[in-house]
Amino acid sequence: MSKLLIVGTVAFDAIETPFGKTDKILGGAGTYIGLAASQFGIDSNIVSVVGGDFPEEYLTMLQNKNIETSGIEIVENGKTFFWSGKYHNDLNSRDTLETQLNVLADFNPVVPEDYRDAKIVMLGNLHPGVQMSVIAQMTEKPKLIVLDTMNFWMDNTLDELLEVISKVDVITINDEEARQLSGEYSLVKAAQKIHELGPKYVVIKKGEHGALLFNHDNVFFAPALPLEDVYDPTGAGDTFAGGFVGYLSQTEDFSFENMKNAIIHGSNLASFCVEKFGTERMESLTKKEIYGRLQQFKNLTQFEIELS
Amino acid sequence: MSKLLIVGTVAFDAIETPFGKTDKILGGAGTYIGLAASQFGIDSNIVSVVGGDFPEEYLTMLQNKNIETSGIEIVENGKTFFWSGKYHNDLNSRDTLETQLNVLADFNPVVPEDYRDAKIVMLGNLHPGVQMSVIAQMTEKPKLIVLDTMNFWMDNTLDELLEVISKVDVITINDEEARQLSGEYSLVKAAQKIHELGPKYVVIKKGEHGALLFNHDNVFFAPALPLEDVYDPTGAGDTFAGGFVGYLSQTEDFSFENMKNAIIHGSNLASFCVEKFGTERMESLTKKEIYGRLQQFKNLTQFEIELS
């Protein structure tokens, strides 16, 4: 079992989908990654920043799941990062209604002393300068650095982003972003180009269409579980990443074969995340539910065919 | 091994994609279905109609693949059905440039005497009245009737289409059409509604995003193989259907477990179809290539995870 250092926003979201809307609720990439990874019984710590308005009970909830919060700086006279968005009817696209950076605008991440030797680092979607600062604070070279990012940083801070990408082992990115970053429409070719930027492993997230894991000539695909209803896609990508790194932290096996399992675990957890608004489903999730649904993933994908 | 009766167009296509364009070449749902199914060493016959302009060499090519053409009526003073289309840059959508129904306008299908007891019937995309006429000509109730259709018939001949749907065991349909037919956005709910219309098995084709097989509570998913280049998607859906029924005709096992394999075989063959224009790749395809790529499908999807 390896210590997992998570970097990502811990924030407020207000979400509207065709199925309803929420007031300000707990959100943020760091939160979703932490909740998903916590299912694997590992030690983790989130590096983030919140304002004085951030409820103590949210931190307590994370701590109760064995997620350390000593990396979450509290700026008493500041306000917590807030995002609000409205999903379209197909839930595949959304409009951002409001973004208040607040304390995130001046975020200067500090990695807690006892996590500077963490073997696994998960860099959630944030300014690449923040991500690089975290890498620089590690006193021992991590065994695995996983990066999540998005098109916003490609548009606005590409050079800094490419610098971070060159330092990581795994990048998770969605299909459109992979195309933008590589200039290739074919995802196979896009992954090849992204390998050349540094990452040995390229994970391309396709939302409801599943996720692809590339390691040069090796390719693995995990579908998204077909669900009767999706209520809120917020956090699904972060939950996927959290399941992926959580499983790898638990098993400490970074072979391609084991990464396949990590991808399945990530997809499995993401399938729960979208079933309720915000973090609600992830907070109540049990091991029994998780393993029951892994069986569904097996049923969905495994076949016996004669190769002769 | 069961005799397979195929009903579908045998036609001319002119295709333009970002990678090039063709003159009038061999096309049609019946052609693609037949070529794919022929890989399974079965007896098949295509019910269709062509004009006097249809080259004898195309019929010879089909016969050389053990596809009987006695069901293909030749209207000497008529012209063969012609379709031309242009694909958009992403190859996921296309514009029809021209459709000449020609001899298809008055197509009155006649099932050859020796195929009226065929155990498996594949109804390719055609007017539902034509599909129903073929079902009516069967002297023995087929063990499996598979229907392919499209939104055009939902828009224009819905009552006739629903009548055919009520008679078949399997329907193959794309995701948007499944939504249109069922009025449900969720594909899980759409499949449930379509089950209620008759078919025990519902196959939802998602193009580059793979295909889902539903049999009430059982669900199976086959991805499309990620390819470096897709040159021409024409015929991929028909090739998928042809591989599906071809494998079922060979094995005569209509269990859900075996249908999984049929779906994989269909996806496998479709992955070849798109690699060249028209039927070119399917005409030259070898068993060795097929089994090599089935291994790639296994590598892509199979995993070993502990369920404890």
Side-chain angles (χ1 to χ4, degrees):
Chain A
M1 198 154 69
S2 304
K3 277 190 287 193
L4 170 65
L5 179 68
I6 298 163
V7 190
T9 52
V10 172
F12 292 131
D13 287 344
I15 300 157
E16 189 172 343
T17 83
F19 301 101
K21 62 189 289 187
T22 71
D23 290 329
K24 272 189 183 183
I25 57 172
L26 175 61
T31 306
Y32 282 103
I33 292 167
L35 285 172
S38 76
Q39 291 291 346
F40 297 91
I42 55 165
D43 293 327
S44 66
N45 202 323
I46 302 177
V47 171
S48 194
V49 62
V50 296
D53 57 345
F54 194 75
E56 181 68 27
E57 65 182 90
Y58 288 166
L59 294 175
T60 307
M61 184 277 289
L62 294 172
Q63 290 153 8
N64 287 343
K65 303 220 174 257
N66 198 35
I67 304 164
E68 291 180 63
T69 61
S70 59
I72 303 178
E73 181 191 359
I74 301 171
V75 180
E76 286 300 346
N77 60 352
K79 287 180 69 184
T80 300
F81 173 58
F82 171 68
W83 174 82
S84 88
K86 181 177 175 172
Y87 287 87
H88 301 158
N89 277 338
D90 64 4
L91 293 173
N92 283 324
S93 54
R94 67 188 187 190
D95 295 322
T96 289
L97 302 178
E98 195 178 349
T99 304
Q100 296 176 9
L101 280 182
N102 297 334
V103 293
L104 202 62
D106 304 309
F107 180 34
N108 194 5
V110 178
V111 178
E113 280 292 344
D114 58 339
Y115 270 78
R116 294 192 178 185
D117 62 352
K119 285 196 188 144
I120 303 195
V121 177
M122 173 73 226
L123 303 170
N125 173 43
L126 271 173
H127 192 296
V130 169
Q131 295 174 321
M132 187 58 94
S133 162
V134 167
I135 295 175
Q137 292 174 55
M138 303 307 288
T139 52
E140 285 186 38
K141 187 174 158 50
K143 292 218 170 142
L144 195 78
I145 305 180
V146 181
L147 170 75
D148 188 46
T149 188
M150 70 183 293
N151 51 2
F152 182 83
W153 311 113
M154 296 175 202
D155 295 335
N156 295 291
T157 59
L158 182 60
D159 286 348
E160 284 176 275
L161 177 60
L162 289 173
E163 178 72 16
V164 179
I165 289 175
S166 75
K167 305 275 189 214
V168 307
D169 304 288
V170 184
I171 183 171
T172 74
I173 190 170
N174 79 27
D175 44 0
E176 285 316 309
E177 291 157 356
R179 287 174 173 135
Q180 178 175 345
L181 185 61
S182 66
E184 292 285 351
Y185 184 79
S186 153
L187 296 179
V188 176
K189 288 185 176 175
Q192 288 165 354
K193 286 266 179 84
I194 297 170
H195 279 317
E196 290 169 15
L197 300 176
K200 289 188 294 290
Y201 296 92
V202 176
V203 177
I204 299 182
K205 301 176 288 184
K206 304 200 295 172
E208 64 165 327
H209 299 303
L212 285 158
L213 167 67
F214 291 91
N215 169 227
H216 299 283
D217 287 343
N218 292 319
V219 194
F220 180 67
F221 174 79
L225 200 72
L227 296 170
E228 284 201 29
D229 290 300
V230 171
Y231 281 96
D232 172 17
T234 309
D238 298 314
T239 298
F240 170 84
F244 179 75
V245 292
Y247 179 75
L248 292 176
S249 299
Q250 183 191 51
T251 55
E252 288 192 297
D253 171 356
F254 308 135
S255 67
F256 187 76
E257 282 306 304
N258 199 51
M259 286 222 183
K260 290 182 180 183
N261 292 347
I263 291 281
I264 293 290
H265 273 289
S267 300
N268 190 41
L269 292 175
S271 79
F272 289 105
C273 177
V274 302
E275 289 186 327
K276 293 203 172 168
F277 277 95
T279 58
E280 187 182 344
R281 190 73 178 90
M282 297 312 292
E283 289 185 41
S284 68
L285 193 57
T286 66
K287 288 269 181 306
K288 191 176 168 201
E289 289 173 315
I290 290 173
Y291 282 95
R293 197 164 282 187
L294 278 178
Q295 182 63 55
Q296 286 184 263
F297 265 90
K298 278 201 159 184
N299 297 345
L300 182 69
T301 57
Q302 305 302 287
F303 58 87
E304 303 284 343
I305 216 164
E306 293 294 324
L307 290 187
S308 58
Chain B
M1 197 153 72
S2 304
K3 277 189 288 190
L4 171 64
L5 179 68
I6 298 163
V7 190
T9 52
V10 173
F12 292 131
D13 286 345
I15 301 158
E16 188 172 344
T17 83
F19 301 102
K21 64 188 287 188
T22 71
D23 291 328
K24 271 189 183 180
I25 57 172
L26 174 62
T31 306
Y32 283 103
I33 293 167
L35 285 172
S38 76
Q39 291 291 345
F40 298 91
I42 56 165
D43 292 328
S44 66
N45 202 323
I46 303 177
V47 170
S48 195
V49 62
V50 296
D53 57 345
F54 194 74
E56 180 69 27
E57 64 181 273
Y58 288 165
L59 294 175
T60 307
M61 183 277 290
L62 294 172
Q63 289 155 7
N64 286 343
K65 304 221 173 254
N66 198 34
I67 304 165
E68 291 181 61
T69 60
S70 59
I72 304 179
E73 181 191 359
I74 301 171
V75 179
E76 287 299 346
N77 60 350
K79 286 180 70 184
T80 300
F81 174 57
F82 171 69
W83 173 82
S84 87
K86 181 177 175 171
Y87 287 87
H88 301 158
N89 277 338
D90 65 3
L91 293 174
N92 283 325
S93 54
R94 67 188 187 189
D95 295 323
T96 289
L97 301 178
E98 194 177 351
T99 304
Q100 296 177 10
L101 279 182
N102 297 332
V103 292
L104 203 63
D106 304 309
F107 180 34
N108 193 5
V110 179
V111 178
E113 278 294 343
D114 57 340
Y115 271 79
R116 294 193 177 184
D117 62 351
K119 285 195 189 146
I120 304 195
V121 177
M122 172 73 226
L123 302 169
N125 173 43
L126 272 172
H127 191 298
V130 170
Q131 295 174 321
M132 187 59 94
S133 162
V134 167
I135 295 175
Q137 291 174 56
M138 303 307 287
T139 52
E140 285 187 38
K141 186 173 157 53
K143 292 217 170 143
L144 195 78
I145 305 180
V146 181
L147 171 74
D148 188 47
T149 188
M150 69 184 292
N151 51 3
F152 181 84
W153 310 113
M154 296 174 201
D155 294 335
N156 295 291
T157 59
L158 182 60
D159 287 347
E160 284 175 275
L161 176 61
L162 289 173
E163 178 72 16
V164 179
I165 289 175
S166 75
K167 304 275 188 214
V168 307
D169 304 287
V170 184
I171 183 172
T172 74
I173 191 171
N174 80 26
D175 44 0
E176 284 317 308
E177 290 158 355
R179 287 173 173 136
Q180 177 175 345
L181 184 61
S182 65
E184 294 285 351
Y185 184 80
S186 153
L187 296 179
V188 176
K189 288 185 176 174
Q192 288 165 355
K193 286 265 178 85
I194 297 171
H195 279 319
E196 290 168 16
L197 300 177
K200 290 188 293 291
Y201 296 92
V202 177
V203 177
I204 299 182
K205 300 175 288 183
K206 303 199 297 172
E208 64 166 326
H209 299 303
L212 285 158
L213 167 67
F214 291 91
N215 170 227
H216 299 284
D217 287 343
N218 291 319
V219 195
F220 180 68
F221 175 78
L225 200 73
L227 296 170
E228 284 201 29
D229 290 301
V230 171
Y231 282 96
D232 173 17
T234 308
D238 298 313
T239 299
F240 170 84
F244 178 76
V245 292
Y247 180 76
L248 292 176
S249 299
Q250 183 191 52
T251 56
E252 288 191 297
D253 171 355
F254 308 134
S255 67
F256 188 76
E257 281 308 304
N258 198 52
M259 286 222 182
K260 291 182 179 182
N261 291 347
I263 292 281
I264 292 290
H265 273 288
S267 301
N268 190 42
L269 291 176
S271 79
F272 289 105
C273 178
V274 302
E275 290 186 325
K276 293 203 173 169
F277 277 95
T279 58
E280 187 182 344
R281 190 74 177 90
M282 298 311 292
E283 288 185 42
S284 68
L285 192 57
T286 65
K287 289 268 182 306
K288 193 178 168 197
E289 289 174 316
I290 291 173
Y291 281 96
R293 197 165 280 186
L294 278 177
Q295 182 63 55
Q296 285 184 261
F297 264 90
K298 277 200 157 182
N299 296 345
L300 182 68
T301 56
Q302 305 301 286
F303 58 87
E304 303 284 343
I305 217 164
E306 293 293 325
L307 290 187
S308 58

